[in-house]
Amino acid sequence: MEDILRDVIPMLVSALLGTLVGWERQMGRKPAGLRTHTLVCLGSTMFCLTTTHAVHAFGGPSLDATRIVHGVVTGVGFLGAGSIMRQEGFVHGLTTAASVWMVAAIGVAVGVQAYALAVTGTVLALVVLEGYR
């Protein structure tokens, strides 16, 4: 039961934190809203949690668990880049791309069970998204 909770609790925390940021974006009618942000956060967390399982399953000192974090950062960067549009000299979607990238970082923090860091990142992201308009 304890093993299951080690996976379930971070996934639930990730869903909650990703939902908070996604809800803010959804209320602003942004292209990447509630579902996108929640799924990116959950996916990032799941990749990190999978690392622990991979170490146990395949073990060995040659398994570098940080490679998954690197992959998340790079992959989500490409996802965010796809949301940036340029029209008639104006650039749109930068904040959406940044918020998707931030949610991935929150998910990674939850995945490595750095809950205080994840909550702090979520609160600060909401402050920036709402307060810096």
Side-chain angles (χ1 to χ4, degrees):
M1 182 65 168
E2 188 177 314
D3 289 340
I4 293 171
L5 289 179
R6 265 187 263 154
D7 287 340
V8 171
I9 290 172
M11 290 297 286
L12 293 174
V13 171
S14 182
L16 173 67
L17 298 178
T19 297
L20 290 174
V21 177
W23 182 77
E24 189 281 334
R25 303 307 290 161
Q26 187 87 20
M27 293 298 101
R29 302 217 186 275
K30 300 302 178 185
L34 180 66
R35 293 186 305 168
T36 302
H37 283 79
T38 303
L39 288 172
V40 167
C41 197
L42 279 169
S44 300
T45 298
M46 193 167 178
F47 279 124
C48 287
L49 293 173
T50 301
T51 302
T52 305
H53 293 281
V55 168
H56 290 304
F58 305 115
S62 64
L63 184 64
D64 181 9
T66 63
R67 286 183 173 191
I68 289 181
V69 175
H70 296 164
V72 169
V73 171
T74 304
V76 172
F78 278 106
L79 178 67
S83 69
I84 299 171
M85 303 293 237
R86 185 171 166 247
Q87 294 174 333
E88 300 175 16
F90 293 99
V91 178
H92 303 280
L94 286 173
T95 303
T96 297
S99 66
V100 168
W101 195 57
M102 182 64 186
V103 169
I106 292 166
V108 168
V110 172
V112 298
Q113 299 181 1
Y115 296 122
L117 179 61
V119 170
T120 301
T122 302
V123 169
L124 290 173
L126 291 171
V127 166
V128 168
L129 290 169
E130 278 296 310
Y132 290 18
R133 289 186 183 265

